[in-house]
């Protein structure tokens, strides 16, 4: 029987997940499919019921359902609990349990492990932004034994809420003060939408950066954001955001279809071709 998985959200048409999973399904010649379904909040329960009926082996969950699925799942992973949101549902047919998980922290970590493995010897991180993506990234930094995480956010009260995730290592700074902390950082992560196509630029100076600073962005349109351009111009290691998107898809695919897919150049070109209209 064809195995089916989905990504649900509202809206959903901009999701790249069908392209990523479709690529892997074709690569491994699986009898499987993965589809994007627009599910309004009022219909979330119906979609979960379809999983419980055995119609799906699970799927990805995006806005606005990332928190609501907690109440509908039987089990929630510690990672999803720590982040306060789930992005992956896994139906365990043998025990008839619906498991909610979050793979964003894994995606962040796996991308840096692949592109900048020395990030693990860093101790101090500067995180820009305090939205949902920042929560997953701070969780990943705690897991990677970072000793100090400074959070700069336009709305400082939101940074303070995030800092409570790991009060022993997190502190907050004013958005206007972020340049002053650049020189202390081993890793800088932009988790805001600034620098994304159609958004204002991220205004930060890397002039005081250590030569070993690693700079990464969750924005991937454009791939080379102003922040990453500035980092490369200063000969710093810069890691784009597309890798996190690709890596976060791995655990779900593995759980639904029983194959561990690779984040390889072919997958990257496939997604870049869609994003930027390149020829593969
Ligand atoms: P996500 O869940 O993808 O992280 P989000 O929750 O909307 O998205 O978070 C967006 C982040 O970008 C927030 O940290 C936001 O700052 P505020 O908490 O002050 O809203 C930040 N952001 C968005 N536009 C910004 C701007 N023009 N200047 C500074 N920060 C901005």
């Amino acid at each position: 029987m064809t195995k089916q998985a989905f990504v649900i959200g509202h809206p959903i048409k901009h999701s790249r997940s069908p392209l990523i999973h479709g690529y892997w399904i074709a690569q491994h010649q699986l009898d499987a499919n993965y589809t994007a379904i627009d599910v309004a909040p009022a219909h979330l329960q119906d979609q979960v019921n379809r999983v419980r009926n055995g119609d799906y082996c699970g799927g990805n969950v995006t806005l606005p359902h990332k928190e609501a699925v907690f109440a509908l799942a039987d089990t929630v992973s510690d990672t999803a609990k720590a982040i306060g949101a789930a992005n992956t549902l896994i139906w365990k047919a043998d025990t008839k349990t619906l498991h909610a998980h979050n793979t964003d922290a894994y995606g962040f970590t796996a991308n840096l492990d692949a592109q900048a493995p020395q990030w693990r010897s860093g101790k101090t991180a500067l995180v820009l932004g305090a939205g949902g993506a920042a929560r997953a990234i701070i969780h990943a930094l705690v897991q990677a034994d970072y000793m100090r995480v400074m959070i700069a956010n336009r709305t400082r009260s939101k940074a303070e809420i995030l800092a409570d995730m790991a009060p022993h290592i997190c502190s907050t700074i004013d958005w206007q003060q972020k340049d002053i902390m650049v020189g202390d950082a081993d890793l800088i992560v932009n988790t805001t939408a600034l620098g994304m196509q159609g958004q204002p630029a991220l205004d930060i100076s890397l002039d005081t950066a250590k030569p070993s600073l690693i700079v990464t962005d969750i924005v991937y349109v454009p791939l080379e954001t102003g922040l990453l351009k500035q980092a490369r111009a200063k000969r710093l290691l810069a890691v784009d955001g597309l890798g996190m998107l690709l890596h976060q898809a791995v655990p779900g695919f593995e759980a639904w279809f029983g194959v561990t897919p690779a984040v390889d150049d072919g997958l990257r070109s496939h997604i870049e071709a869609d994003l930027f209209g390149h020829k593969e």
Side-chain angles (χ1 to χ4, degrees):
M1 202 175 78
T2 305
K3 287 187 174 176
Q4 310 219 64
F6 54 73
V7 57
I8 53 172
H10 186 66
I12 198 60
K13 66 174 186 294
H14 297 298
S15 174
R16 309 289 169 191
S17 294
L19 270 178
I20 300 171
H21 291 284
Y23 177 89
W24 285 330
I25 287 170
Q27 184 179 42
H28 294 281
Q29 301 181 319
L30 301 180
D31 181 13
N33 67 46
Y34 181 104
T35 46
I37 311 173
D38 193 309
V39 174
H43 297 119
L44 181 61
Q45 175 82 62
D46 296 342
Q47 183 64 21
V48 167
N49 290 344
R50 284 180 207 113
V51 180
R52 292 188 184 280
N53 286 339
D55 297 354
Y56 295 97
C57 44
N60 288 119
V61 178
T62 187
L63 300 178
H65 306 309
K66 287 180 135 188
E67 290 161 24
V69 290
F70 277 5
L72 303 175
D74 303 307
T75 55
V76 176
S77 71
D78 289 345
T79 308
K81 275 185 204 153
I83 296 169
N87 71 345
T88 304
L89 290 175
I90 299 159
W91 175 241
K92 299 184 176 174
D94 47 347
T95 52
K96 296 207 181 323
T97 48
L98 184 63
H99 184 61
H101 184 38
N102 190 310
T103 66
D104 287 333
Y106 167 85
F108 175 78
T109 297
N111 184 37
L112 286 180
D113 281 346
Q115 315 272 351
Q118 63 273 47
W119 82 282
R120 285 189 176 272
S121 54
K123 300 214 169 343
T124 300
L126 173 58
V127 174
L128 308 175
R135 281 194 87 84
I137 286 165
I138 290 166
H139 179 74
L141 293 171
V142 172
Q143 296 294 312
D145 292 329
Y146 267 67
M147 313 276 281
R148 189 172 165 220
V149 176
M150 299 174 290
I151 309 167
N153 193 51
R154 177 178 59 180
T155 311
R156 187 153 175 181
S157 56
K158 284 208 215 158
E160 279 159 8
I161 294 169
L162 245 72
D164 282 343
M165 286 176 74
H168 52 298
I169 59 166
C170 291
S171 55
T172 68
I173 54 173
D174 270 344
W175 183 246
Q176 288 74 19
Q177 300 288 306
K178 58 189 182 306
D179 284 7
I180 296 168
M181 306 316 295
V182 164
D184 282 16
D186 301 308
L187 176 70
I188 295 182
V189 190
N190 175 41
T191 77
T192 74
L194 297 175
M196 191 188 293
Q197 200 174 72
Q199 297 284 330
L202 170 63
D203 183 20
I204 188 169
S205 165
L206 302 177
D207 285 353
T208 59
K210 299 178 191 176
S212 58
L213 174 67
I214 298 169
V215 181
T216 185
D217 206 322
I218 67 158
V219 171
Y220 55 86
V221 180
L223 267 183
E224 186 83 345
T225 59
L227 173 67
L228 299 184
K229 244 185 220 151
Q230 186 188 164
R232 281 192 231 278
K234 294 189 172 349
R235 301 186 166 279
L236 302 170
L237 186 49
V239 178
D240 70 54
L242 184 56
M244 178 173 168
L245 175 77
L246 303 178
H247 281 281
Q248 64 76 33
V250 169
F253 191 92
E254 188 174 32
W256 308 316
F257 304 132
V259 176
T260 305
V263 174
D264 57 18
D265 291 345
L267 174 66
R268 230 180 195 275
S269 315
H270 185 62
I271 307 304
E272 283 183 25
D274 181 71
L275 289 172
F276 310 113
H278 298 161
K279 287 219 174 75
E280 282 180 68

